[in-house]
């Protein structure tokens, strides 16, 4: 690659499903490398598999990228719209004798494969059609004439130098019988014509790279720099899959994770900067380098992600957190239109919530007109011996002028002293009366957020409950 050339990277997913965790990390590494080097990040949708590609999957990928904040500078380009370009390049190679038509049938190829294995030979194509000078015919494919001597070297930014003997490689198919290009060919043409300088992708593509380098050479294209990042494993050290939990990026959004938390977690799956765990986006852009990406596979740890998410919820911009929680409340049928009230609710809950789902579940009691009391809590604390404490609160509360967290705390302490009882015998019945739960944010916080009027109504209803049970 020419020195001082603008860095251009790409993320090129196939729209055959959702954007999964592994793909998202690959996109993130590309994005960070590009932003660090002030380059251009290109999004290309590789949809030449027309049988499996869907518009819904394309939109799901775009939505996930947008949610993660991985903005692209060019695209999205659609590979299927570039098929004429790919076909022209195939014809060019055929005309130059660097590719040829092949009419071997799938059954014949399977027979060759079995014979090679039986004879302890590598099951690669045996070149039957290589020198037959065939022309295009129905169902014929086009194969690349791979050099059968020499070595192809990949100078990988992550894995270092890797060498491949050309005689081990295959005369790979570059155009299928349906006239569509294969992945290895289309990706080379598109990367070259889009000026991609760095190809950063998962190490499951390592074995494709020497074949692609030979195609670059045959087409007269400049070869990009390659970097292959290790895969992500589940806790059992096998490749991350659905059996380990959610693998779709948007599933984590639905489970109440913040995008910044997921980004921070994904970048630490295989990349490190000392012992630092928490990074802002600006820090990641400034610090990221492929040299710091590890060579071994990373293990996905859901508990670590949950810890990070809890941290981000606590530290998140408050207004953004309010905006993020609102859809979860609306899904639960809660009217979250009172922005000031909702802001106070979020303030009460954010230090106690690991996910937005947990926060939304915990917020329900603030918005309910009539609470369902926790059965065990009600049996323990909504009893006649505590009714006097609740009556005391409801009678004295109207005269409390310092209706703040501190004022309420002092108010309840004074009441406990005057009643010659422990504070918990006032606070716990009050908690059940106001929240329906035995566990909640601080009772003083809850009272401030609910306001005097709602607090008094809820206490009176709890006293009625005691009287009727």
């Amino acid at each position: 690659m020419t020195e001082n050339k603008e860095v251009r990277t790409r993320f090129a997913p196939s729209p055959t499903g959702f954007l999964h965790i592994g793909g998202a990390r690959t996109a993130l590494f590309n994005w960070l490398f590009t932003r660090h080097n002030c380059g251009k990040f290109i999004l290309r949708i590789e949809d030449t598999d027309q049988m499996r590609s869907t518009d819904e999957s394309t939109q799901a990928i775009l939505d996930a990228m947008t949610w993660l904040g991985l903005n692209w500078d060019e695209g999205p380009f659609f590979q299927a719209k570039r098929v004429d370009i790919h076909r022209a390049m195939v014809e060019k190679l055929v005309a130059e004798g660097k590719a040829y038509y092949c009419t071997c049938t799938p059954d014949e190829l399977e027979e060759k494969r079995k014979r090679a294995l039986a004879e302890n030979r590598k099951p690669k194509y045996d070149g039957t059609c290589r020198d037959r000078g065939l022309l295009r015919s129905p169902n014929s494919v086009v194969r690349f004439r791979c050099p059968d001597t020499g070595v192809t070297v990949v100078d990988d930014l992550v894995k270092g130098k890797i060498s491949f003997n050309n005689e081990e490689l295959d005369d790979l198919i570059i155009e299928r019988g349906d006239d569509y290009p294969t992945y290895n060919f289309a990706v080379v043409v598109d990367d070259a014509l889009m000026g991609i300088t760095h190809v950063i992708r998962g190490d499951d593509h390592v074995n494709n790279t020497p074949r692609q380098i030979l195609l670059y050479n045959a087409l007269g294209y400049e070869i990009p720099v390659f970097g292959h990042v290790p895969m992500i494993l589940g806790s059992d050290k096998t490749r991350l899959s659905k059996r380990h939990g959610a693998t779709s990026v948007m599933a984590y959004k639905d489970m109440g994770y913040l995008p910044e938390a997921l980004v921070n977690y994904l970048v630490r799956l295989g990349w490190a900067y000392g012992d630092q765990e928490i990074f802002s986006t600006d820090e990641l852009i400034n610090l990221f380098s492929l040299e710091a990406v590890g060579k071994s596979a990373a293990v996905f740890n859901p508990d670590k992600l949950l810890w990070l998410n809890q941290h981000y919820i606590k530290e998140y911009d408050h207004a953004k957190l309010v905006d993020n929680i609102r859809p979860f409340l609306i899904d639960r049928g809660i009217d979250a239109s009172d922005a000031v009230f909702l802001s106070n609710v979020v303030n009460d809950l954010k230090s106690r919530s690991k996910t937005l789902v947990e926060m939304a579940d915990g917020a329900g009691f603030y918005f309910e007109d009539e609470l369902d009391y926790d059965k065990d809590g009600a049996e323990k604390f909504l009893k006649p011996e505590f009714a006097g404490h609740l009556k005391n609160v409801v009678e004295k509360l109207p005269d409390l002028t310092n209706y703040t967290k501190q004022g309420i705390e002092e108010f309840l302490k004074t009441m406990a002293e005057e009643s010659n009882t422990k504070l918990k015998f006032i606070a716990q019945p009050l908690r059940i009366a106001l929240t329906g739960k035995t566990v909640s944010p601080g009772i003083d916080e809850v009272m401030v957020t609910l306001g005097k009027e709602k607090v008094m109504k809820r206490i009176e209803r709890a006293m009625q409950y005691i009287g009727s049970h």
Side-chain angles (χ1 to χ4, degrees):
M1 194 185 80
T2 308
E3 287 296 316
N4 301 320
K5 190 173 183 180
E6 179 188 57
V7 165
R8 289 174 64 84
T9 68
R10 50 71 167 178
F11 179 55
S14 297
T16 55
F18 298 108
L19 179 61
H20 55 80
I21 289 295
R25 189 191 62 167
T26 298
L28 174 60
F29 281 3
N30 274 280
W31 187 85
L32 288 172
F33 181 81
T34 308
R35 296 291 175 253
H36 179 83
N37 289 287
C38 303
K40 292 286 194 299
F41 177 57
I42 291 92
L43 179 61
R44 185 174 72 233
I45 305 297
E46 299 200 332
D47 57 345
T48 50
D49 186 345
Q50 294 289 287
M51 295 291 289
R52 296 174 61 224
S53 298
T54 67
D55 292 340
E56 290 79 10
S57 292
T58 298
Q59 191 57 53
I61 290 167
L62 300 181
D63 290 345
M65 296 278 288
T66 301
W67 181 67
L68 290 171
L70 304 182
N71 59 313
W72 51 92
D73 302 300
E74 296 176 19
F77 299 107
F78 291 87
Q79 199 171 56
K81 293 181 179 177
R82 300 171 57 82
V83 168
D84 287 346
I85 298 171
H86 306 140
R87 287 172 182 156
M89 293 298 105
V90 168
E91 289 171 8
K92 176 178 183 290
L93 291 185
V94 171
E96 293 173 354
K98 297 174 182 175
Y100 59 91
Y101 289 102
C102 172
T103 57
C104 294
T105 66
D107 288 344
E108 289 170 339
L109 293 172
E110 177 60 18
E111 188 58 39
K112 293 174 190 291
R113 190 186 73 83
K114 288 178 179 176
R115 193 181 312 128
L117 289 172
E119 296 172 2
N120 292 319
R121 291 185 288 111
K122 187 179 178 70
K124 58 181 244 182
Y125 181 64
D126 64 359
T128 298
C129 296
R130 207 173 207 227
D131 299 311
R132 291 173 64 190
L134 299 173
L135 300 176
R136 183 188 294 275
S137 61
N139 299 318
S140 64
V141 301
V142 179
R143 289 184 180 273
F144 174 62
R145 192 184 293 271
C146 180
D148 45 21
T149 59
V151 175
T152 298
V153 177
V154 182
D155 200 0
D156 196 282
L157 286 174
V158 176
K159 296 185 172 296
K161 206 175 288 288
I162 314 171
S163 298
F164 297 85
N165 290 322
N166 292 341
E167 64 187 34
E168 294 291 311
L169 305 178
D170 213 341
D171 280 6
L172 76 155
I173 295 172
I174 59 175
E175 187 176 275
R176 300 190 298 262
D178 60 4
D179 296 336
Y180 271 87
T182 57
Y183 164 78
N184 274 306
F185 187 73
V187 76
V188 167
V189 173
D190 287 342
D191 282 348
L193 297 183
M194 291 179 183
I196 303 303
T197 60
H198 294 75
V199 174
I200 303 163
R201 57 191 180 186
D203 64 3
D204 52 335
H205 286 285
V206 165
N207 288 334
N208 288 328
T209 305
R211 297 174 170 88
Q212 291 174 8
I213 287 174
L214 292 172
L215 286 169
Y216 276 99
N217 288 333
L219 291 163
Y221 293 147
E222 187 173 356
I223 299 170
V225 179
F226 290 92
H228 292 90
V229 298
M231 67 174 62
I232 301 173
L233 303 179
S235 55
D236 58 358
K237 304 296 174 67
T238 61
R239 186 166 187 162
L240 191 67
S241 67
K242 288 180 181 176
R243 71 175 178 277
H244 299 110
T247 58
S248 157
V249 167
M250 295 307 268
Y252 284 93
K253 180 187 179 187
D254 294 341
M255 290 191 294
Y257 287 80
L258 294 171
E260 293 87 347
L262 188 55
V263 163
N264 196 145
Y265 181 70
L266 287 177
V267 79
R268 289 285 286 109
L269 279 177
W271 176 86
Y273 184 78
D275 295 326
Q276 188 172 339
E277 293 283 357
I278 312 292
F279 297 87
S280 69
T281 301
D282 286 343
E283 282 180 309
L284 288 175
I285 290 170
N286 289 333
L287 297 172
F288 186 80
S289 72
L290 285 173
E291 287 77 15
V293 172
K295 291 179 172 62
S296 56
V299 176
F300 190 86
N301 183 342
D303 293 335
K304 184 70 174 289
L305 173 57
L306 196 60
W307 172 82
L308 261 178
N309 201 57
Q310 184 174 21
H311 168 83
Y312 272 89
I313 286 176
K314 282 181 186 175
E315 304 297 326
Y316 214 55
D317 176 80
H318 189 71
K320 282 175 67 178
L321 192 59
V322 171
D323 286 342
N324 274 271
I325 193 65
R326 189 176 280 112
F328 289 90
L329 296 173
I330 292 169
D331 284 348
R332 286 159 175 74
I334 292 172
D335 180 358
S337 58
D338 186 335
V340 174
F341 183 65
L342 178 57
S343 176
N344 292 334
V345 170
V346 169
N347 201 51
D348 287 355
L349 294 169
K350 65 183 181 182
S351 65
R352 310 170 62 87
S353 305
K354 293 178 181 176
T355 67
L356 297 179
V357 166
E358 191 177 307
M359 184 184 288
D361 289 341
F365 75 84
Y366 284 97
F367 299 90
E368 292 167 9
D369 292 329
E370 292 197 0
L371 299 175
D372 290 324
Y373 301 124
D374 174 81
K375 185 173 180 291
D376 292 340
E379 286 178 359
K380 190 172 182 180
F381 293 109
L382 293 189
K383 295 166 68 176
E385 57 261 42
F386 298 113
H389 296 317
L390 292 176
K391 184 172 182 287
N392 211 6
V393 172
V394 88
E395 285 177 350
K396 293 183 177 181
L397 199 58
D399 297 328
L400 178 62
T401 54
N402 183 19
Y403 197 77
T404 63
K405 186 180 172 195
Q406 184 180 356
I408 291 169
E409 189 179 338
E410 291 172 0
F411 169 76
L412 294 176
K413 278 184 181 176
T414 301
M415 187 168 289
E417 289 167 4
E418 290 174 351
S419 303
N420 195 27
T421 190
K422 291 182 178 178
L423 180 60
K424 70 177 182 179
F425 293 129
I426 298 175
Q428 279 301 87
L430 197 52
R431 189 184 308 280
I432 296 289
L434 298 181
T435 72
K437 305 169 186 287
T438 55
V439 178
S440 74
I443 200 66
D444 44 6
E445 295 172 286
V446 171
M447 289 176 72
V448 170
T449 296
L450 287 174
K452 263 190 196 183
E453 187 180 338
K454 280 185 182 176
V455 166
M456 291 175 68
K457 279 184 180 177
R458 291 188 182 196
I459 295 172
E460 287 166 355
R461 181 172 176 268
M463 290 165 62
Q464 290 170 6
Y465 176 90
I466 292 172
S468 63
H469 284 72

